[in-house]
């Protein structure tokens, strides 16, 4: 079974721009969660989608948004980029909806200049 | 809010040594606990998942224990190898069953050949 895939792997953007990251979960997994990893804050939960609905949201500003498609693929969007948004963005998928083992993708490294 | 702490932050051991990594969490109302490893610049690889009703899980040279009432987990690595060098992260999920993981800050392990 293929693992979680994320595209693109690396991205460089300028302050004020917006960016869209994509995540394809493991086949059969319906839950997709997004996390931000920075050296200062560590790994922080952004949001979770299950069956195309956002079910859970972390403590991030509204500039961070996401969606999930009927095939469970998910995208996250960050608008009006700030330097502090530079991070590794990881998505994870799991079976069903509740606290099953989570499998992570390789991440998208976003650099904001 | 759940807080997860990992001690030590960094550990360096000679090859072949057995070692223990520690994880503590402030809210014992968890659904499960997961241990991950992360290689530099990469995503997370799931090592072990312990449900809140379990005391321990084993996989090869790895053994993880959970004492939910005291808010502690340990990851025991037997006969360490240079390939074990990585950052090890523990994460807990809330008792509600939601998929938002709370991560510790990690222990960076170096195994010296």
């Amino acid at each position: 079974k293929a693992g979680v895939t994320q595209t693109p792997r690396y991205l460089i953007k300028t302050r004020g721009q917006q960016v869209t990251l994509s995540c394809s979960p493991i086949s059969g997994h319906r839950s997709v969660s997004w996390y931000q990893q920075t050296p200062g804050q560590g790994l922080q939960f952004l949001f979770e989608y299950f069956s195309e609905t956002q079910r859970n949201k972390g403590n991030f500003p509204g500039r961070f948004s996401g969606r999930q498609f009927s095939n469970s693929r998910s995208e996250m969007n960050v608008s009006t980029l700030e330097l502090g948004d530079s991070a590794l963005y990881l998505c994870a998928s799991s079976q069903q909806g509740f606290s099953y083992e989570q499998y992570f993708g390789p991440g998208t490294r976003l650099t904001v200049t | 809010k759940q807080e997860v702490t990992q001690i030590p932050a960094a550990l360096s051991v000679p090859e072949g040594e057995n070692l223990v990594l520690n994880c503590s969490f402030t809210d014992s109302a968890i659904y499960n606990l997961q241990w991950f490893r992360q290689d530099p610049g990469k995503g997370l690889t799931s090592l072990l998942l312990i449900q809140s009703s379990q005391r321990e899980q084993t996989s090869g040279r790895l053994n993880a224990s959970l004492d939910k009432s005291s808010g502690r987990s340990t990851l025991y690595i037997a006969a360490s190898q240079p390939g074990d060098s990585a950052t090890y992260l523990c994460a807990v999920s809330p008792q509600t069953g939601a998929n938002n993981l709370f991560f510790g800050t990690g222990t960076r392990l170096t195994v010296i050949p």
Side-chain angles (χ1 to χ4, degrees):
Chain A
K1 223 182 223 185
V4 178
T5 58
Q6 293 187 244
T7 56
R9 294 292 311 281
Y10 303 91
L11 209 47
I12 299 175
K13 289 286 188 178
T14 304
R15 266 183 306 175
Q17 289 186 315
Q18 73 163 14
V19 67
T20 299
L21 312 181
S22 180
C23 171
S24 293
I26 293 171
S27 178
H29 286 194
R30 294 166 62 192
S31 170
V32 174
S33 299
W34 288 88
Y35 293 84
Q36 181 196 65
Q37 186 176 31
T38 59
Q41 299 297 318
L43 270 153
Q44 293 183 286
F45 172 76
L46 280 156
F47 31 65
E48 181 212 1
Y49 285 86
F50 179 75
S51 292
E52 302 179 62
T53 301
Q54 186 182 89
R55 192 166 59 172
N56 216 347
K57 190 177 190 308
N59 190 25
F60 278 82
R63 300 185 297 108
F64 292 82
S65 62
R67 60 178 176 169
Q68 186 179 36
F69 302 95
S70 58
N71 61 358
S72 294
R73 188 177 71 86
S74 177
E75 290 181 346
M76 69 163 278
N77 183 276
V78 187
S79 62
T80 319
L81 284 166
E82 301 177 358
L83 294 178
D85 297 333
S86 294
L88 181 66
Y89 289 88
L90 294 161
C91 81
S93 74
S94 64
Q95 284 184 317
Q96 301 296 329
F98 291 125
S99 287
Y100 281 27
E101 189 167 0
Q102 295 203 31
Y103 297 87
F104 281 77
T108 294
R109 171 73 63 184
L110 172 65
T111 302
V112 182
T113 62
Chain B
K1 182 194 167 190
Q2 178 74 270
E3 290 186 7
V4 183
T5 305
Q6 291 186 246
I7 295 173
L11 183 62
S12 185
V13 300
E15 182 177 359
E17 196 162 292
N18 302 327
L19 58 102
V20 174
L21 307 181
N22 296 292
C23 171
S24 60
F25 45 95
T26 55
D27 185 352
S28 62
I30 65 167
Y31 193 85
N32 62 34
L33 182 145
Q34 235 175 306
W35 282 94
F36 297 90
R37 70 171 277 168
Q38 185 176 32
D39 294 286
K42 303 286 180 64
L44 277 61
T45 300
S46 178
L47 298 173
L48 289 164
L49 179 143
I50 311 177
Q51 301 291 355
S52 60
S53 57
Q54 297 176 317
R55 297 285 293 182
E56 64 179 289
Q57 280 284 353
T58 298
S59 176
R61 294 182 294 108
L62 305 180
N63 175 276
S65 67
L66 173 64
D67 184 344
K68 195 177 108 166
S69 59
S70 69
R72 294 185 181 186
S73 176
T74 61
L75 179 67
Y76 175 83
I77 302 177
S80 58
Q81 303 171 357
D84 295 331
S85 298
T87 295
Y88 290 80
L89 296 147
C90 69
V92 297
S93 64
Q95 198 168 55
T96 57
N99 260 341
N100 53 310
L101 294 176
F102 293 91
F103 279 87
T105 48
T107 294
R108 188 167 60 202
L109 173 66
T110 303
V111 181
I112 304 165

